[in-house]
Every structure is written in C-alpha cells, then in structure tokens.
Amino acid sequence: MERERRYWLFKSEPGCFSLEDLKNTPLMTEKWDGVRNYQARNLLRDEIQPGDYGFFYHSNIPEPAIVGIVEVVREGYPDYTARDPEGEHFDPKCSFDKPIWYMVDVRYVRHLERLVTLDEIKKQPALAGMELVKRSRLSVQPVRTDEWEYLLHLGGISLRERICPQTSLEM
DNA sequence: GCCAACGTTGGC
DNA sequence: GCCAACGTTGGC
C-alpha cells in the first residue's frame, strides 16, 4: 500500500544550484546533497519518499522565494560527498559503514507561474506555521497539504490543475 | 558584509 | 551533562 504523497520544501542558493540548473541537468535529475544537519538528515533518510513533491526555494539572495516544483525520484541514500576529502562537504567522521549524512534525488517538474517571495509568505496568516517563517534555517522542511495548496495558488497554479509527473506539464 | 538564531563541539 | 566558544545559515 503506497503512502499518501507528502510535500517538502528544498532550499538552494541559486548561485550554487538553481531550479534552472536542475531543469538543464541531463535527465532533469539531481542529487540533493551536502546537507549537514541532523534534523534535515532524519527527513532525508526516513521520511522523504519517491513520488513526494517539493517546492524549490532560492535562498541567500536579495529576494528569497519559492520558484518551482520538484519531485523526489530516489529515497534517501548515503551522501558520498561526505567521504570525499577533496570536496566541500567532507566530514571526516563518516565512513562507508557509518554514512551519517543522506541525500535524495529530485527531478524538475515546473516553475511556478509567478514566484512567491518570502516577504509574501510572511504576510499570509495561513502560512504562519511554516518552518520557513518560524525557524528558517532548516534546508529541507515539511510542508502541510493545506500550505502546499495555498502556495500553489499564490504561485499562479490553479488548484484544479494537476501537475503531471510524466510530462512536467499541468493537465 | 553584518549579525541573529541556532546547532555543534569539547573542556570541565 | 552543562555551557561557553565557535561555526553556519540565511535574511537583511
């Protein structure tokens, strides 16, 4: 029995990796790597499943905003960048047997019709419970279904549209 | 680039 | 196990 789809918010610094970059990646799939926070790790390892959707959020820019939608295509697996001594995300405490850190793979689905800025999100009472508003530092965070739908609406996507995973187009 | 908020580390 | 020091994130 498949569990119900859940929703997430994935952050990225567009200067480092943007939604456009994901769209232009071969197969439109990328690894969500380099997360070094235990709370986020637990989500990546235990909660986030293929078929789940996520908002793609651009952080650390003058106007941070949700810009689009991605789909999780691979469940959590050990983040091997933690074992690369040359890499930026190296963690000497990790080994093959004890990975510590995890990542998932995500696929580009679509951009929002218009982006939803953090400023706008903060003004919405319906979104006051979001992690993004309350404690903004988690790099991947859960989004409730009602929040998801509200944000789709703000992003110019009608609730009657459906996001088709196969074609990246709404039906 | 500053700094607040928060997480992690390590001495005791 | 406390807590000070330090590091990181990310809004501004």
Side-chain angles (χ1 to χ4, degrees):
Chain A
M1 178 74 185
E2 273 192 32
R3 96 195 200 309
E4 206 156 304
R5 168 176 294 141
R6 289 166 69 179
Y7 303 102
W8 310 94
L9 183 142
F10 296 95
K11 289 187 191 175
S12 187
E13 300 187 22
C16 181
F17 191 77
S18 70
L19 185 59
E20 202 62 32
D21 292 333
L22 177 63
K23 188 180 181 181
N24 294 330
T25 304
L27 304 177
M28 300 197 302
T29 302
E30 257 294 338
K31 303 159 195 75
W32 192 257
D33 66 13
V35 174
R36 301 291 178 264
N37 167 285
Y38 283 102
Q39 204 179 338
R41 186 283 307 270
N42 292 344
L43 296 177
L44 290 165
R45 186 189 59 186
D46 306 329
E47 305 289 339
I48 301 174
Q49 293 293 322
D52 286 354
Y53 278 168
F55 283 125
F56 200 91
Y57 177 85
H58 283 170
S59 68
N60 235 334
I61 50 173
E63 195 152 70
I66 294 173
V67 292
I69 295 168
V70 299
E71 181 189 6
V72 178
V73 291
R74 183 177 174 187
E75 67 179 353
Y77 60 102
D79 184 346
Y80 50 78
T81 66
R83 280 185 278 114
D84 174 12
E86 305 298 316
E88 256 180 83
H89 301 301
F90 179 60
D91 182 345
K93 294 191 299 300
C94 293
S95 67
F96 192 80
D97 293 328
K98 290 188 176 177
I100 304 183
W101 306 116
Y102 282 72
M103 58 183 169
V104 298
D105 291 352
V106 297
R107 180 182 75 80
Y108 174 84
V109 175
R110 60 170 295 168
H111 281 74
L112 299 183
E113 290 300 319
R114 48 187 156 77
L115 49 79
V116 182
T117 64
L118 178 61
D119 199 46
E120 200 177 348
I121 292 169
K122 282 180 171 171
K123 286 181 187 157
Q124 309 294 329
L127 303 176
M130 288 190 71
E131 288 289 323
L132 197 63
V133 178
K134 289 192 301 180
R135 202 166 51 81
S136 63
R137 290 177 74 247
L138 253 197
S139 50
V140 54
Q141 39 186 270
V143 174
R144 297 196 316 248
T145 303
D146 61 304
E147 293 164 343
W148 177 265
E149 292 181 352
Y150 197 89
L151 284 160
L152 280 185
H153 177 68
L154 290 179
I157 299 178
S158 143
L159 293 185
R160 295 171 64 178
E161 294 178 78
R162 302 204 34 162
I163 303 153
C164 176
Q166 300 313 315
T167 64
S168 306
L169 297 171
E170 72 274 24
M171 297 188 292

